[in-house]
Each structure stands twice: as C-alpha cells, then as structure tokens.
Amino acid sequence: MSTNLTVNQNSKIRNLAIIAHVDHGKTTLVDALLKQGQVFRANQDVGELIMDSNPLERERGITILAKNASVNYKGVKINIIDTPGHADFSGEVERIMNMADGCLLLVDAVDGPMPQTTYVLRQALQQNVKPMVLINKIDRPEARVPEVIEMIQDLFLELATNADQLEFPIFYASAKQGYATADMNTPGTDMTPLFEAILDSVPPPTGDPEAPLQMLVAALDYDNYKGQVAIGRITRGTIRLKDGISLLSATGEPTNHNLERIFVYHGMQRVEVAEAVAGDIVAVTGPEGVSIGDTISSQEHHDALPTITIEEPTVRMTFGVSTSPFMGKEGDHCTSRNLHDRLMRELRTNVSLQVETTASPDIFLVAGRGELHLSILVETMRRENFEFQVSRPEPVTKVVDGKIHEPYEILNISTNEQYVGPLTEYLSGHLAQLRDMRYDENGYVHMEYKIPTRGLIGFNSFFLRTTRGDGVKNSTFLSYEPMEGHLKTQPGGVLVASERGMAVTYGLLNAQGRGDTFIDPGTQVYEGMIVGSHRREGDIEINVCKEKKLTNMRSSTADVAKRLNATIVMSLEEALEFISDDELVEVTPLNFRLRKMALSALDRKHRRRDGVGTRG
C-alpha cells in the first residue's frame, strides 16, 4: 500500500529549477509557462515579468530573490523554482536547489553560457538534479545556435558530477513569442513541447508518504498575521494540519510545536490545504524560532537532514546610525535599535549575509557575497524609510597559517577592441592577471582575468565610463589566496563644503573652477559634505553657499550669463565605489549624500596628524 501511494501521489508532482544568466529571458519564459498553464483568468491583465514581484527586480531587470510558483499540465503539478542569475545572490541558489529534482538551463542563442550561469549550474549538478537545456531567443538574426550547443556541451563536460548528467535534451525557444520546439527546422506554436519534456525528463520526487515526516527548511518568510513561515520540500511522510511536529536545529535540543497552517503553491498564490504529501513544496506556520537549514520531523522520529551549506561572504561594509546634521529630517527609522532590529530581521531570510557588532553600539559590520548583494540591501532599507550611513566596501580577509588571505575572483570581459588598452592598464594596476584572450569575427575581444576582490571594488564605474556601455563583464568567486601587492591608486581628491547652507550658482561656479560638482543650486549642504571631485591629490574645502556681493558698479560683461557645467549624478553603487576609507555615504529615503567621516575641518586635521589617511 505504501508503494502504491508513493507512485500514485508523487508521480503527479515535478519540481523544476530554472537557471539562466541575467537578461537571457528566464523571467519571460516563466511568464509564458504560467500563461499557458492557465494560472490566470482569461480576461486577467497580468502584464509581463510576473515572477519579478520585487520593485528592485523590475527596475534592474534581474532576479534577486528565489521564488516559487506552480502550473498544472495534464494533471501533473509542476513546481517552478525561479533562481537568481547573479553570483552575488548565491545564497538564494544554494538554499533552494535542494528542493528541485530537475533543472532547466536557459541559454541565450547569441551569448551562450555565461560565467554566472556556470556558478548556478554547478550548484544544481552537485545536488544531482536531472538537467535539461533550452536555447532561447532563436528568433534573433544574430543567433548562433550550433556554436552555443558546443559551448554548452563543453560546460557540462567541465561541471558534470556523473556520466548521466551528460545526457540531456536540448530545446529551442523564443520566450518572448511564447513558443518552444524540439527541432530548429520545425517552428513551434506554444510551450507544449517543453511541458511534455518536463514530464518525461524530470523524475518525480521520491519519498514514502506513509513514512515518518521529514522536511528541510529552505526558505523563510514573515507575515504580520500568520507569523513566521517556513518553506521547503517534504522529503518523506505526510504533513497534516494541527499535527505535532519537532524542530531539529543544528545546535540545541529538539523542540515540539503544532502546525497551524499549511500552504501549497497554485500559480503565483499560496493556497491553504489540510495536508500535503512527500515531494510537494509547502509553506507552514506554527514552529517558532525556525531557521534555514532546520529539519521539521515527526515527534516520534528525530531524523535530521543534512543542513544547507552556504559559502562565506567576500565583501563587507559598516552600517551605522547617521551622524549627519540633517539626521531625522527625511526618514522615520534613525536609531541604533531600529538599525539593529532591521539587520537581524534580514538575517532570518538572507542566509549568505553576516552581521557583527563593533566596539561602537551605533555601528554594525555587514558582510555579503559582493558589492551588488550589499547595495541591494542598502537600497531596500532606504525604501523602507531608514536613515543610516555606510562605508566603502572592502574584502573579507582571513588568516591561514599565519598569513592574511583574501578572496580572488575570475573576471570575464567582452568589449570592443578599441577599449582593450585603458582596461588593461587599469586592471594591471589592480593586480589582475590575464589568463585568456581571444578575438571574434565581430571585432570584439573576450578576456579572462584572475583578480583579487579588492581590485574589483570601483571597477564597475570605470568599465561603464571607458566602454561607454559597449561591453559586458562578469565575475565569480574563485578561492582565498595570500594577500600580495598594493593597488595603484588614481590621483584625485574631493571638494568638501566648508559651511552649512544652501548651494548657490556663484558658489558652484567657484567650485567648478577647481573640479567637477555633484550637486545643483538649491541643494542643502553641511560642513564636511562632499560636493565634488578634482584631479589633484588632497581635499579642497570650498564654500558653495557663497553669494556674489552686490555693488553699484557695472561692467560691460555684467549681463553675460554664466552657466554651470553639467552636474555628475551617481548611482548608489557608483557612490559606494567612489568614496575612500575616510568617507561615508549618508542614505535617506529621499537622497544619498557623500560626506567625510569627520565633518569638522579641525577634526580632519587632527586625523591626518594622527596618521588616519585621507585622499592623497
């Protein structure tokens, strides 16, 4: 009876993770699957990028959070697990991949597999999931499908953990047009061939519904009404409402709880049910103090599953309470308690993040998987009406055998050959080692470097300026190696406001005589705020609030209008890369400002005397 139940119930479930590099069409593909799976009403306007529900995901065009959805095809429930395509969010990938039995590798028909794809696919194959390949955007005129297939086969040869993973079906699609096909010469009409392949290629989950309950918590959510929500796949057994369960953590004794609610995924929604069987992905409420990696088991059998292993952070920065004269004017959450509580709440779901206290109760050290990982957290908190200040990102180092080790990364660049010179000069000064270089028939150069993470901090802005957007770069973590060498610093300093007040055109004209400015007339400034940059060493204090004195004397040029040069407007990532070790970014819901750690000119003079470095 147990075997029949397993076959009958588990065979109606497929758990599929979708893997793709940023901008290869993964979210568009999920849109097409959801729409053909009749998840929505016939007259319902759902728009595009349905799975990217986070506003930051829509703005940046990337998947940040791993999410679940499901579609029904021929009576089979297909659970779709949407994975991030960027290695900075690798914690999301590592924790949810154990819920999948199969993975669909989505590859652009022009770009082929990219470095970030390599990282996520490696995580999937290590979980021994069954792979499938879908080559997307075959309708593009520049598509090069045969070359991309060769690149994919080489990638699997490199990453496969067993011979079975080298046998995978290949399909072709235009997710934007809403079709897939198994044969390039046979045009597709819809996603039916892909649905059929999922049913045939992805194995149904194993696990006996009659065995004692066992479920690994792979994700967490929080609801103001339901409380803590634990998400994971039932490895074995059946989970029922009001059942008594045990929570097994890596540290501490098992604790007993009652299940209050059980949810399964139907389309994009969670639907409450009375029970769920082995193989299904569920969200449950009731257990308190649950963490990612914990096991939910029956109270009679305490069998813990292997916990989820997350790679260590590589980049860190400080989050501190704002000490700006404008503190409290633009945000609602400004105290150290607000900041501490928010960071602790982030730790519940952001498993690759680490938060440490410092000697100051107002400053916290936050470490993540990369600059993008941390900047997304900063932007998210800013939109939640927090006010705080952050330092420049720096690599996380460790001591091995008495030597300081730092993280190294593999940097891949594809750009026009005319930009190779300045890029090579910059990277060589930042300790990069060229490992591979090749030209293609379109005049593009593809380069691969090995570079310490500290050499990459600030490179993104330089890359965008130098290539004028005509280039692509990606980096993935390689290993920790001994710290050697010093980075070549670019000469230059900043213009620092000497007084508090409102910036005026006359004062900014004087500032632009020294360098470039970051603010417009009418901007409120304070002493110690950075208002511009210049090319010489050292900082220059300048009064941007200074107005032109009025006299009764006229000159022949008095009526000639003086115009300001264009203001440099930085993004949050560019601001974090621009500041030096003695500077901060003040973050508020309305603005982010660059400032010196020591606002007073006298305090900065004392810091220089005491050996605390400034620019130049």
Side-chain angles (χ1 to χ4, degrees):
M1 181 178 177
S2 173
T3 304
N4 291 335
L5 278 171
T6 304
V7 172
N8 293 338
Q9 294 179 309
N10 290 12
S11 62
K12 298 298 183 182
I13 299 174
R14 299 290 188 276
N15 295 318
L16 179 72
I18 300 183
I19 299 170
H21 182 73
V22 175
D23 201 34
H24 278 197
K26 171 166 56 65
T27 306
T28 307
L29 172 68
V30 175
D31 287 358
L33 294 176
L34 291 173
K35 289 174 180 176
Q36 185 168 332
Q38 297 181 346
V39 169
F40 310 104
R41 300 189 309 272
N43 62 345
Q44 186 175 354
D45 182 15
V46 294
E48 297 179 343
L49 308 179
I50 304 165
M51 285 287 275
D52 282 350
S53 54
N54 186 311
L56 278 174
E57 293 178 319
R58 287 178 172 269
E59 290 174 19
R60 295 169 182 257
I62 60 175
T63 299
I64 297 171
L65 303 173
K67 293 178 286 293
N68 299 86
S70 76
V71 297
N72 279 284
Y73 181 77
K74 292 186 174 179
V76 178
K77 180 181 182 181
I78 302 173
N79 285 313
I80 298 173
I81 305 166
D82 189 15
T83 64
H86 200 289
D88 277 16
F89 308 107
S90 59
E92 295 284 319
V93 177
E94 291 162 1
R95 67 177 173 79
I96 58 89
M97 198 57 73
N98 68 80
M99 294 194 290
D101 297 301
C103 70
L104 178 65
L105 175 64
L106 183 67
V107 180
D108 191 296
V110 177
D111 296 338
M114 303 291 280
Q116 307 285 10
T117 314
T118 303
Y119 177 86
V120 183
L121 181 61
R122 180 185 288 114
Q123 295 290 332
L125 296 181
Q126 287 175 355
Q127 294 287 342
N128 203 31
V129 301
K130 183 73 174 176
M132 301 169 56
V133 172
L134 181 69
I135 299 177
N136 191 28
K137 304 184 183 180
I138 60 171
D139 54 332
R140 292 177 63 180
E142 60 270 36
R144 50 190 187 115
V145 175
E147 294 94 325
V148 169
I149 292 176
E150 289 185 12
M151 295 166 70
I152 293 170
Q153 290 170 338
D154 291 341
L155 179 63
F156 272 89
L157 282 171
E158 176 188 347
L159 301 180
T161 58
N162 59 62
D164 291 340
Q165 292 175 340
L166 298 176
E167 299 293 332
F168 49 85
I170 300 178
F171 291 83
Y172 313 92
S174 170
K176 191 172 183 180
Q177 301 295 329
Y179 69 82
T181 178
D183 184 359
M184 277 286 292
N185 299 318
T186 306
T189 56
D190 57 17
M191 286 292 170
T192 298
L194 184 58
F195 276 118
E196 293 287 348
I198 292 172
L199 265 55
D200 294 339
S201 300
V202 178
T206 58
D208 184 358
E210 295 298 305
L213 175 66
Q214 195 179 43
M215 166 184 159
L216 184 68
V217 178
L220 294 176
D221 198 359
Y222 188 83
D223 188 280
N224 290 332
Y225 299 101
K226 304 180 185 73
Q228 190 79 57
V229 181
I231 303 168
R233 187 177 77 166
I234 305 172
T235 305
R236 72 182 187 202
T238 300
I239 198 166
R240 295 182 177 89
L241 202 60
K242 303 301 180 183
D243 271 2
I245 56 97
S246 291
L247 184 65
L248 313 178
S249 61
T251 58
E253 294 294 321
T255 56
N256 293 333
H257 307 268
N258 287 323
L259 288 174
E260 295 178 358
R261 291 188 174 185
I262 303 171
F263 300 89
V264 296
Y265 289 90
H266 178 69
M268 293 289 297
Q269 306 297 321
R270 291 179 188 161
V271 179
E272 189 167 356
V273 294
E275 67 175 45
V277 299
D280 208 353
I281 296 174
V282 298
V284 300
T285 65
E288 297 177 0
V290 61
S291 300
I292 290 173
D294 291 351
T295 299
I296 293 176
S297 74
S298 65
Q299 293 183 354
E300 295 77 21
H301 297 82
H302 291 169
D303 297 333
L305 289 162
T307 189
I308 299 172
T309 303
I310 303 296
E311 290 189 12
E312 297 179 1
T314 57
V315 176
R316 66 186 178 189
M317 57 198 287
T318 62
F319 283 54
V321 175
S322 177
T323 56
S324 161
F326 297 163
M327 190 269 284
K329 291 188 174 182
E330 298 176 0
D332 298 330
H333 311 298
C334 313
T335 66
S336 60
R337 183 179 62 83
N338 293 149
L339 186 59
H340 175 268
D341 291 348
R342 177 62 182 85
L343 292 174
M344 292 301 106
R345 192 164 72 248
E346 185 71 19
L347 285 180
R348 296 178 187 171
T349 55
N350 199 338
V351 291
S352 53
L353 199 73
Q354 290 182 2
V355 179
E356 299 176 17
T357 56
T358 64
S360 170
D362 295 336
I363 298 176
F364 304 92
L365 192 62
V366 181
R369 292 288 298 162
E371 284 181 84
L372 182 60
H373 185 202
L374 294 176
S375 66
I376 289 292
L377 173 60
V378 172
E379 182 64 31
T380 302
M381 292 175 60
R382 175 189 176 200
R383 296 183 182 206
E384 295 172 359
N385 284 330
F386 277 83
E387 270 194 39
F388 55 102
Q389 57 194 26
V390 294
S391 67
R392 175 183 170 87
E394 62 179 14
V396 176
T397 59
K398 58 173 68 173
V399 178
V400 180
D401 298 330
K403 291 185 177 181
I404 298 177
H405 284 56
E406 64 176 337
Y408 272 74
E409 301 188 33
I410 295 297
L411 172 67
N412 292 88
I413 295 174
S414 298
T415 187
N416 195 296
E417 58 183 344
Q418 63 179 307
Y419 305 124
V420 170
L423 288 174
T424 302
E425 181 181 358
Y426 178 96
L427 289 169
S428 62
H430 286 69
L431 308 178
Q433 304 167 23
L434 183 64
R435 294 174 30 142
D436 186 30
M437 183 175 182
R438 60 183 176 84
Y439 291 80
D440 64 21
E441 63 276 8
N442 299 319
Y444 269 66
V445 185
H446 306 274
M447 298 176 287
E448 180 180 294
Y449 289 90
K450 175 185 174 183
I451 184 171
T453 298
R454 60 187 165 117
L456 278 176
I457 295 175
F459 175 64
N460 186 56
S461 299
F462 177 84
F463 180 78
L464 292 175
R465 289 195 307 270
T466 303
T467 63
R468 297 175 177 85
D470 186 15
V472 177
K473 71 171 185 65
N474 299 282
S475 62
T476 52
F477 173 74
L478 177 63
S479 62
Y480 270 86
E481 298 184 17
M483 179 180 283
E484 296 177 350
H486 297 280
L487 301 181
K488 180 182 178 181
T489 57
Q490 299 290 323
V494 292
L495 305 177
V496 184
S498 60
E499 291 186 12
R500 180 173 177 173
M502 180 186 293
V504 296
T505 302
Y506 183 74
L508 289 174
L509 280 170
N510 290 334
Q512 290 190 346
R514 306 288 187 93
D516 300 316
T517 54
F518 301 157
I519 60 173
D520 294 317
T523 303
Q524 293 289 337
V525 300
Y526 52 80
E527 182 185 4
M529 180 173 158
I530 297 172
V531 296
S533 65
H534 64 93
R535 296 177 182 269
R536 298 180 181 178
E537 292 187 354
D539 301 334
I540 298 176
E541 294 177 19
I542 195 158
N543 183 7
V544 293
C545 306
K546 182 179 180 181
E547 298 183 1
K548 184 177 181 180
K549 293 183 179 179
L550 299 176
T551 69
N552 58 357
M553 300 293 292
R554 273 181 181 268
S555 68
S556 59
T557 59
D559 296 326
V560 177
K562 294 184 178 180
R563 294 189 177 184
L564 290 169
N565 297 330
T567 300
I568 296 176
V569 180
M570 295 186 186
S571 66
L572 176 60
E573 284 85 359
E574 289 172 334
L576 291 173
E577 294 172 353
F578 174 82
I579 59 175
S580 66
D581 295 338
D582 70 319
E583 296 163 358
L584 299 168
V585 176
E586 174 195 348
V587 181
T588 77
L590 302 180
N591 299 287
F592 51 86
R593 307 179 181 92
L594 280 61
R595 50 159 289 181
K596 288 290 185 179
M597 283 187 181
L599 296 179
S600 164
L602 183 61
D603 290 343
R604 292 197 297 275
K605 183 177 180 180
H606 290 163
R607 288 169 64 90
R608 287 194 297 270
R609 185 190 64 191
D610 295 338
V612 180
T614 58
R615 288 179 184 263

